[in-house]
Amino acid sequence: MKRTIAVLILALFVTAGAFASILQIGPAATVDFNPNQFNLESYKDVGKYQFGAEARVNLLFLQAGANASFSLPNSEGNWKIDTMLSANLVAGPKLVNVSVGAAIPYTFLLGPGASSIDLGSFLEQPLYLKAGLNFNFAFIGVGASYYIPTGLPVNKVVSEIQKISPDLSKGRLSLAVFFNFL
């Protein structure tokens, strides 16, 4: 029995290592998450979630990611799209690993009453810290990421790094299921 379990575990590691991929794409759900006031009942309301997609590119121990979540149209018919671009360091085997890094959010509206997208304000967005836990099973991966705002805009992080103050009460939790490609 022990030998059978050992062979199954070894087969899982070999399969995961053989099929862990460079490109991962899949559906994602995002929700505001405050660990200081965690109440499981409040997360049963589907209206609190945003749904969308996440994509990641993995090269050795580096990872670049993009997350886009959509909210239902508001009273003016505009769709709110929250995006998050991230750069991460990944540690651990391909089967289960941890990623840490930084992310930049950008929110814009699409629809009849939406203003134009101002990419010039991208560097004025607040920098977020990101931590993630990822599982890769052959062609499928599952990832959970937690984003924490630092309180500083991206363009001032280098000059005012001593003013960084992460705020856990304004964190965002993202859960994604990935299809592994390449």
Side-chain angles (χ1 to χ4, degrees):
M1 181 64 171
K2 288 181 183 179
R3 185 174 283 174
T4 304
I5 292 173
V7 168
L8 288 174
I9 290 173
L10 180 62
L12 180 64
F13 276 104
V14 169
T15 304
F19 294 108
S21 68
I22 294 172
L23 178 63
Q24 297 177 298
I25 300 173
T30 305
V31 65
D32 291 336
F33 184 76
N34 181 351
N36 300 327
Q37 297 178 350
F38 180 73
N39 177 2
L40 189 58
E41 288 295 318
S42 67
Y43 292 100
K44 290 182 179 179
D45 179 14
V46 176
K48 289 186 170 192
Y49 292 86
Q50 290 182 303
F51 297 95
E54 187 165 341
R56 296 179 182 175
V57 176
N58 301 297
L59 297 172
L60 299 174
F61 59 90
L62 300 175
Q63 180 185 81
N67 182 321
S69 301
F70 304 88
S71 294
L72 295 175
N74 61 17
S75 60
E76 299 169 359
N78 295 321
W79 291 78
K80 178 182 170 189
I81 302 172
D82 289 323
T83 63
M84 193 75 75
L85 299 176
S86 65
N88 311 294
L89 295 174
V90 179
K94 292 180 180 180
L95 179 64
V96 179
N97 60 56
V98 176
S99 61
V100 293
I104 303 172
Y106 192 80
T107 300
F108 57 93
L109 299 175
L110 289 178
S115 59
S116 62
I117 298 171
D118 180 15
L119 294 179
S121 67
F122 181 72
L123 294 177
E124 296 172 3
Q125 301 303 312
L127 181 72
Y128 277 63
L129 300 176
K130 178 189 177 226
L133 179 62
N134 309 293
F135 300 90
N136 290 299
F137 307 106
F139 297 108
I140 300 290
V142 178
S145 300
Y146 187 53
Y147 300 93
I148 307 165
T150 62
L152 282 178
V154 173
N155 60 1
K156 298 199 179 190
V157 169
V158 174
S159 63
E160 300 179 13
I161 197 160
Q162 71 278 7
K163 293 182 181 178
I164 286 181
S165 62
D167 187 357
L168 292 175
S169 67
K170 294 182 181 174
R172 294 184 59 83
L173 180 65
S174 176
L175 302 172
V177 175
F178 295 106
F179 299 100
N180 296 324
F181 299 100
L182 299 176

